[in-house]
Amino acid sequence: MLQVQKIACTNAAGFVMYFNPEYIDPNTGQFAESPPDSPNYPIDQTKTIDLSSSNVPVGASVRPKVHADGGDNNSGDTLVQYAQNGQTATYEVQGTTLNYTVKLIG
């Protein structure tokens, strides 16, 4: 599993969006969302969240949860592991407000 400290989302979709970390809570085994949220941003921009500023525990499996303005919420297609190593996982968001994907690209 890819180990990263930061999660980035590139907006290649036709809507304004924001995202926040979603991780598997080691106490419950269920997905939980954590602040901070990225700011709202339009197409052709990328925003990054440093997980060290979140509630995500080191070692947890994490992915972005994307919120489309006026549309659905979708999670990243691939989990990564939070490690304090300075590395970044980048996801690309493509589609429309009610039908879009969030794919790990690097």
Side-chain angles (χ1 to χ4, degrees), residues 50-64:
D50 188 330
L51 296 172
S52 66
S53 66
S54 73
N55 297 333
V56 177
V58 172
S61 297
V62 62
R63 63 188 179 187

Side-chain angles (χ1 to χ4, degrees), residues 30-106:
Q30 302 294 319
F31 278 102
E33 292 184 48
S34 172
D37 295 344
S38 72
N40 288 338
Y41 59 105
I43 192 168
D44 293 332
Q45 290 188 22
T46 301
K47 300 294 181 194
T48 303
I49 292 176
D50 188 330
L51 296 172
S52 66
S53 66
S54 73
N55 297 333
V56 177
V58 172
S61 297
V62 62
R63 63 188 179 187
K65 176 109 180 227
V66 174
H67 307 268
D69 187 23
D72 286 342
N73 302 327
N74 286 344
S75 298
D77 68 340
T78 305
L79 290 164
V80 295
Q81 186 178 36
Y82 172 31
Q84 294 179 328
N85 62 6
Q87 300 298 309
T88 303
T90 302
Y91 293 79
E92 184 175 62
V93 180
Q94 290 186 338
T96 61
T97 56
L98 299 176
N99 184 21
Y100 65 93
T101 58
V102 183
K103 293 189 177 189
L104 180 66
I105 58 172

